[in-house]
Amino acid sequence: MPTGQSMVPISSARFLLSSSTGNGKWAFSELSNISMEVEPHEFIFCNADGSIQHTRQYGKTNPPKVTLKKPMDEDTTLWAWHLAAQAGSTSARVDCSLIAYSAGSPLIPPGAKDKVFEWLLANAWPSKVELSGLKAGATDTAMLTVTLQCDLITVPGTPPNPAGSIPGGGDG
């Protein structure tokens, strides 16, 4: 952290997922998970002096995934998007923007000043859609959980190859 700067924790009351095609815009109440992983790969070798060295190297990169939750409503576009992915349609892969916004009135659309953080999801598609159980006569709201798979998650403003900007980063 640069000297003199204080880090402010991110808190968000609402999340907006927008497709680059303009065919979908969904408001979510919960971001459950963003998962990005590079599996470590153990590498064992023998030095010239005969000593055995154990090290961990970068291994397989798992595709990122995002899990979001929202109350169930009458909008069926998420279901249609999932059905397109289920059918193997190439049009189901779309670039998306996921923006976290601060609290505000639910009837007033968030503005740029309300933006807390943004992620860009490349070639995203819904791999899983879940609906929580419903009971007749209950007053609970059914929750829709959507898991998105994507090729890459980036944050606007970060360099394309940030290795030189991280502590100990670089080519060596």
Side-chain angles (χ1 to χ4, degrees):
M1 172 170 55
T3 308
Q5 282 188 340
S6 64
M7 296 295 187
V8 178
I10 292 177
S11 177
S12 180
R14 51 193 171 162
F15 303 89
L16 189 64
L17 179 69
S18 304
S19 70
S20 62
T21 60
N23 294 340
K25 188 177 270 193
W26 304 275
F28 289 89
S29 56
E30 184 179 332
L31 169 61
S32 299
N33 185 14
I34 291 182
S35 174
M36 299 168 54
E37 180 183 13
V38 178
E39 293 180 5
H41 179 75
E42 188 173 9
F43 185 65
I44 304 170
F45 62 95
C46 185
N47 285 330
D49 65 359
S51 63
I52 297 175
Q53 296 293 314
H54 294 261
T55 183
R56 293 202 179 253
Q57 301 295 322
Y58 304 127
K60 179 181 138 194
T61 302
N62 293 327
K65 68 180 176 180
V66 177
T67 305
L68 298 156
K69 292 183 180 181
K70 69 189 264 356
M72 177 67 181
D73 55 24
E74 295 176 358
D75 182 10
T76 60
T77 55
L78 275 170
W79 296 96
W81 188 18
H82 178 68
L83 289 173
Q86 224 176 9
S89 171
T90 55
S91 64
R93 291 179 176 266
V94 297
D95 294 340
C96 293
S97 171
L98 176 60
I99 302 175
Y101 289 101
S102 59
S105 172
L107 300 177
I108 300 173
K113 66 177 179 53
D114 301 319
K115 186 186 334 185
V116 176
F117 205 84
E118 181 176 9
W119 298 269
L120 301 175
L121 288 57
N123 291 322
W125 52 279
S127 62
K128 187 176 186 180
V129 177
E130 293 179 89
L131 181 61
S132 66
L134 291 170
K135 190 184 294 186
T139 58
D140 296 347
T141 302
M143 293 299 287
L144 186 67
T145 303
V146 179
T147 302
L148 300 169
Q149 301 289 329
C150 51
D151 292 345
L152 179 69
I153 297 177
T154 58
V155 175
T158 57
N161 183 5
S165 65
I166 57 173
D171 294 334

